[in-house]
Amino acid sequence: MKVLVSVKRVVDYNVKVRVNADNSGVDLSNAKMSMNPFCEIAVEEAIRLKEKGIANEVVVVSVGPKAAQDTLRTALALGADRGILVETEEQVESLGVAKVLQKVVQEEQPGLVILGKQAIDSDNNQTGQMLAALTGMGQGTFASEVLVDGESVAVTREIDGGLQTVSLKLPAIVTTDLRLNEPRYASLPNIMKAKKKPLETKTPESLGVDVKPRVKVLKVEAPEARKAGVQVNSVAELVGKLKAEAGVI
Amino acid sequence: MATLLIAEHNGTELAPATLSALTVAQQVGSDITVLVAGANVKAVADAAAQCSGVGKVLLAEGDSLAYDLAENLSELILSVAGDYSHIMAPSNSVSKDAMPRVAALLDVGQLSDITAVLSDVQFQRPIYAGNAIATVTSNDAVKVITVRAAAFDKAAATGGSAAVETLAAPADSGLSSWVNDELTQSERPELTAAERIVSGGRGVGSGENFALLEALADKLGAAVGASRAAVDSGFVPNDMQVGQTGKIVAPSLYMAFGISGAIQHLAGMKDSKVIVAVNKDEEAPIFQVADYGLVGDLFDVLPELTEKL
């Protein structure tokens, strides 16, 4: 079975972003970028499926600027076999990415597609579900366990009250939650080897997809800052303040 | 402007988050229909019909809707979508699963997790783990929206007298099937609906030590939450996680014990009215958002606090 994994290049999760003074967006000019943490988990799961002999090829795909090549190389260094970059300088939103991925799925015919549950920049949590809709496949979102068994896959999902397990007919779409696995690090020899692995470049136009945004961002502002708090020195003082000043107990 | 609101419920009762989303629906327009879907949910539909401002309730009952499978639920929503300019739901694990599927089938974008309504077509939503607030609009004819319940007051659950209409449940998609649920049992209030939350992090040290937080929570009638560190260390189950990737909460009182205050955790609780932080490390970032900070050992503070309340 072929496994397709979609990865996104985002600002590193440890960076505290700043909003541009003109409210046009956030300032990413010198920010460290890396692979979205949920995508790392998706890549790891695909590689584990390969190590178990369930997957015979892992293809990684990214939609984004030329620099997203680095993100694909990272995935190749972790163990993916080849990469596809759908290059565009536009900010592509979830629906656009899902449409691009639908075309890639059509061409590649994977048995399973794995995505992260959300990207930590837009926090949308949409692409996997939209891809499932467009391809007419079943979806196992927020997965904390994935067990492929013949023609179906059992996905344990993190839902509000606990866990739910569903069985999906393959091919299917899975989106990863944090607890699915612990992603590995790339070793230096593998990083060198990844440079030789095939990386194909396409464009949304060559795939016949219109990625013009539907959701328009009119402005981006910094969140309201909280009023500075006070340090208390004892439990008694804390209880006193909560009762008298804050009135919450 | 006609709005379809997808109700959140537990099978017998309407979830408070539905009332918060109803507030959004009321701000968008006056023609509001609530859709209640499930296996045996007549009581929920009757409760929805009582809610203020609801014009009509659609009730869809059937085996295909029993376990909130997105493939079936999205088909149901799609079957009535043509009548509405706005389709919205409180942001929860069911709507996050199904709504993007609906949006894609309608060929429209989705506005996720909105926190403010500026007009019937302009909304605000947090991005970058809540470190920026985007004002967004959509050019699409239908706006598909999920609502961050913690950001809105609840609409009144009384005062309405809407008619309940029955919809046919969709046929099962055959794409997915339910295997089992493993739900966490708890007597305490539900995290996202709680007025007070007592939360623990890595500093709590073990699952057994969470008993100290539970004792305080019981005294306060509070829910118990946790940071990702506490969940990953196996202290508590993951549905207790507060943060960017867990639950988003905004109670009147949030008490953080042994939580450093990483960006991802703050994203889930920094809109709480009053934040209390107890931490040994006076440099912990949690103190930057805390209204009341106490530098000290939580193992000393917790029992004393529980006793003094």
Side-chain angles (χ1 to χ4, degrees), chain A residues 99 141 214 216 226 245, chain B residues 96-97 107 137 270 292:
Chain A
K99 286 182 173 180
T141 49
R214 308 288 193 78
K216 249 182 141 149
R226 285 186 78 93
E245 208 174 270
Chain B
K96 284 181 187 168
D97 193 29
D107 193 27
T137 187
K270 69 185 166 71
Y292 302 105

